[in-house]
Amino acid sequence: MSESVLSQFDNDVLHCLELSSAIELTLPAAKQASLNLSPGGLGLRSLHGQAPAAYISSLTTSMPSDNCSVTSKVYLLAAVNAYNAMVSQPDAISVESVLDVPPHQHALSSHIKEADFNPLFFRCNYRGKGQIASYLSTSSPYMA
């Protein structure tokens, strides 16, 4: 799927939320809506935001690296670059590393969520920061 189609779908979902709730969503409110219910969100995941993690995990776990075609490697490189643009530097990956040890989508998605929600910390009180931190933690029951 193309990036514009995924973004358009995400925008359509948020627009439906705005119409059904009669509110205009700010960017922080839209990000909060993508959190699970327990930390105060609505569970509306971004297809655009999760697509690179899903593609990387799917391709690398279903096709051994020695059978990975040139075309697949080009798409994989694009997905890795998109993923790296979303996460912090310590969580960046390389094509070689994912071909050697295929990552789980859950782990990749966790890094995307962490990078996406870090700006919310600056506007939270201590209780809110604790709730978001527990949500982002890999040991959190919300990550299941």
Side-chain angles (χ1 to χ4, degrees), residues 88 112-123 132 136:
S88 60
I112 291 171
K113 276 189 261 185
E114 183 177 319
D116 201 28
F117 294 116
N118 275 341
L120 291 177
F121 278 105
F122 296 113
R123 293 188 261 289
I132 292 174
L136 294 174

Side-chain angles (χ1 to χ4, degrees), residues 1-103:
M1 272 191 170
S2 77
E3 191 172 316
S4 63
V5 172
L6 298 173
S7 293
Q8 184 60 50
F9 180 82
D10 289 344
N11 291 334
D12 289 348
V13 168
L14 292 175
H15 183 68
C16 286
L17 175 61
E18 287 178 326
L19 290 175
S20 64
S21 63
I23 60 170
E24 186 175 332
L25 292 175
T26 62
L27 183 59
K31 286 184 183 275
Q32 182 179 355
S34 70
L35 289 170
N36 282 349
L37 295 175
S38 51
L42 298 174
L44 303 175
R45 294 282 182 257
S46 165
L47 287 183
H48 177 260
Q50 296 301 316
Y55 183 80
I56 292 166
S57 179
S58 174
L59 180 67
T60 57
T61 56
S62 64
M63 185 181 303
S65 61
D66 53 339
N67 292 342
C68 197
S69 70
V70 172
T71 304
S72 295
K73 286 184 181 177
V74 168
Y75 289 129
L76 180 60
L77 176 61
V80 166
N81 288 338
Y83 171 84
N84 287 340
M86 291 183 212
V87 299
S88 60
Q89 184 59 34
D91 296 324
I93 57 175
S94 69
V95 171
E96 294 78 19
S97 68
V98 298
L99 288 175
D100 287 343
V101 179

